[in-house]
């Protein structure tokens, strides 16, 4: 019965949008309709359970990282400053997606204001670019710490770290700004129904009844030039890091040095591999069902923010010790 009502509602919205397009072009539609995960309407409640769990772990984990770094004076070093920037980025990114997605799954609240949709689009892509820039900064920190340890404190001073953080934020804000600005200029006269659980850039601009080549090419340029360059710089950093590690005289020294950058390497791989998989399935997986694309698009945004504090919490002795102290004091 619920499925029938849902289909009737979507059909009514489609007919309304199509009939409205015959009369006028609504350049700025008042609302968009997010369908959640098309084809899996009956499973929305079940899908919401892992999504909600991931968000809860993300929120608690990143808040814990921020709290421990603030309280532990020994962690007031560039590596953990960058980790705090990453934690804030992950919190904002997850919060930009999950509340609206869960409202769709739980309350069938599919409408989203046009301006709110563009704002969500901007935050998602802006903080994704910021996160990528922070990974580059962390890779540079590991490079200096391992390849030139005697100059680490003189190269990465607090003012330098602040400038790096500011440049990462400004780059993310400026590079992504054309996305919502261009999306706002297109005429939307076909439909305002988005077959997605959030306002993803291409999913929105595809609804425009105009040539969206500029938006499409600019989005690809950001993906290849910005993210591609970030991956290149991270790769170059780790090539030099690995060369330095393998040149160390003893196995224990190599193992201990590699362990200092293993957490960052794991976090980087967890953040770049899912988006790459999603990109490849979009470009070459033409027979892949739409609901699979939407699920992957959610997972690659939600999984890294959840894993990042867990990986650093497990691999960093200072964070483990501080957590143990907190729980010990509470128990006492």
């Amino acid at each position: 019965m619920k499925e029938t009502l849902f289909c009737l509602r979507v059909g009514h919205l489609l007919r309304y949008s199509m009939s409205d397009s015959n009369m006028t072009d609504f350049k700025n539609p008042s609302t968009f309709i997010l369908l959640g995960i098309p084809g899996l309407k009956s499973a929305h409640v079940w899908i919401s359970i892992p999504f909600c769990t991931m968000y809860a772990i993300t929120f608690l984990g990143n808040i814990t990282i921020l709290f421990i770094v603030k309280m532990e004076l020994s962690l007031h070093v560039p590596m953990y400053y960058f980790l705090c920037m990453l934690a804030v980025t992950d919190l904002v990114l997850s919060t930009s997606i999950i509340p609206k997605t869960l409202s769709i799954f739980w309350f069938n609240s599919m409408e989203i204001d046009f301006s709110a949709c563009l704002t969500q689009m901007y935050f998602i892509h802006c903080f994704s670019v910021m996160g990528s820039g922070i990974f580059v900064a962390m890779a540079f920190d590991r490079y200096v710490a391992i390849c030139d340890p005697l100059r680490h404190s003189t190269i990465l001073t607090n003012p330098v770290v602040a400038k790096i953080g500011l440049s990462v934020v400004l780059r993310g804000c400026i590079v992504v700004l054309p996305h919502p600005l261009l999306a706002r200029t297109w005429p939307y006269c076909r439909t305002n129904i988005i077959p997605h659980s959030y306002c993803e850039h291409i999913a929105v601009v595809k609804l425009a009844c105009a040539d969206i080549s500029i938006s499409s090419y600019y989005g690809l340029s950001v993906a290849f030039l910005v993210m591609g360059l970030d991956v290149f710089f991270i790769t170059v950093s780790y090539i030099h890091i690995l060369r330095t590690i393998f040149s160390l005289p003893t196995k224990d020294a190599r193992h201990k040095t590699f362990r200092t950058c293993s957490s960052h390497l794991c976090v980087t791989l967890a953040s770049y591999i899912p988006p790459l998989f999603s990109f490849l399935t979009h470009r070459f997986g033409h027979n892949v069902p739409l609901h699979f694309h939407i699920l992957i698009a959610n997972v690659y945004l939600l999984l890294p923010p959840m894993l990042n504090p867990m990986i650093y919490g497990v691999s960093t002795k200072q964070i483990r010790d501080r957590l143990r102290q907190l729980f010990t004091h509470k128990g006492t």
Side-chain angles (χ1 to χ4, degrees):
M1 185 64 182
K2 290 183 179 180
E3 289 292 325
T4 304
L5 291 173
F6 175 75
C7 293
L8 288 173
R9 183 179 180 185
V10 172
H12 172 73
L13 290 168
L14 284 168
R15 286 194 298 272
Y16 175 79
S17 299
M18 294 302 292
S19 62
D20 187 60
S21 67
N22 292 330
M23 295 181 291
T24 182
D25 289 352
F26 50 103
K27 189 172 183 179
N28 288 333
S30 58
T31 58
F32 280 124
I33 306 299
L34 292 168
L35 296 184
I37 303 179
L40 295 179
K41 167 66 177 177
S42 60
H44 273 181
V45 174
W46 297 107
I47 297 172
S48 70
I49 296 174
F51 276 33
C52 186
T53 303
M54 291 170 71
Y55 181 65
I57 295 173
T58 298
F59 185 83
L60 292 174
N62 285 289
I63 289 294
T64 301
I65 291 290
L66 291 171
F67 175 76
I68 289 177
V69 172
K70 182 179 185 297
M71 298 299 294
E72 188 64 44
L73 294 179
S74 65
L75 299 180
H76 291 187
V77 293
M79 175 183 174
Y80 294 101
Y81 290 149
F82 292 135
L83 179 58
C84 287
M85 296 178 199
L86 183 64
V88 173
T89 300
D90 288 343
L91 284 170
V92 176
L93 182 61
S94 300
T95 305
S96 300
I97 303 168
I98 282 294
K100 181 59 183 177
T101 300
L102 292 179
S103 71
I104 296 171
F105 291 166
W106 290 344
F107 310 113
N108 208 28
S109 176
M110 297 186 291
E111 293 188 359
I112 183 170
D113 184 77
F114 178 72
S115 297
C117 184
L118 297 186
T119 302
Q120 186 190 51
M121 175 203 301
Y122 178 74
F123 270 76
I124 290 170
H125 292 281
C126 175
F127 281 87
S128 295
V129 173
M130 284 185 197
S132 182
I134 293 169
F135 287 131
V136 177
M138 296 173 83
F140 177 68
D141 171 73
R142 292 299 85 203
Y143 165 75
V144 176
I146 293 174
C147 299
D148 198 0
L150 297 179
R151 297 179 58 202
H152 182 266
S153 59
T154 58
I155 293 175
L156 284 168
T157 60
N158 287 342
V160 171
V161 172
K163 290 176 182 177
I164 292 173
L166 181 61
S167 64
V168 167
V169 172
L170 289 177
R171 187 189 72 155
C173 293
I174 294 170
V175 165
V176 179
L177 188 59
H179 282 346
L181 293 181
L182 287 171
R184 184 175 286 277
T185 62
W186 303 128
Y188 296 90
C189 57
R190 293 194 184 102
T191 179
N192 62 342
I193 297 176
I194 304 174
H196 213 296
S197 59
Y198 59 85
C199 291
E200 198 271 334
H201 174 240
I202 292 299
V204 173
V205 298
K206 275 184 177 180
L207 303 182
C209 51
D211 183 7
I212 60 167
S213 300
I214 297 176
S215 287
S216 180
Y217 289 141
Y218 186 77
L220 286 174
S221 299
V222 170
F224 281 107
L225 295 179
V226 176
M227 301 294 193
L229 282 175
D230 287 351
V231 172
F232 172 76
F233 289 134
I234 292 171
T235 303
V236 170
S237 297
Y238 270 94
I239 289 173
H240 288 288
I241 288 171
L242 291 175
R243 282 180 177 176
T244 303
I245 289 174
F246 288 128
S247 66
L248 294 174
T250 64
K251 184 177 179 180
D252 288 341
R254 290 194 294 269
H255 177 73
K256 183 179 179 180
T257 306
F258 181 76
R259 193 170 56 190
T260 62
C261 60
S262 60
S263 54
H264 175 252
L265 184 60
C266 292
V267 165
T268 303
L269 292 174
S271 298
Y272 283 110
I273 290 177
L276 177 62
F277 179 75
S278 177
F279 175 80
L280 292 175
T281 55
H282 268 289
R283 296 298 170 187
F284 304 108
H286 301 297
N287 296 324
V288 177
L290 177 62
H291 63 263
F292 183 79
H293 285 301
I294 306 302
L295 281 171
I296 292 297
N298 279 277
V299 167
Y300 86 73
L301 289 178
L302 298 176
L303 187 62
M306 180 189 72
L307 292 178
N308 294 346
M310 295 171 65
I311 292 172
Y312 276 103
V314 169
S315 62
T316 306
K317 184 177 184 297
Q318 294 96 320
I319 294 178
R320 290 200 311 269
D321 291 344
R322 186 65 181 183
L323 274 174
R324 193 178 297 113
Q325 291 175 12
L326 288 173
F327 284 113
T328 302
H329 286 311
K330 286 183 178 180
T332 305

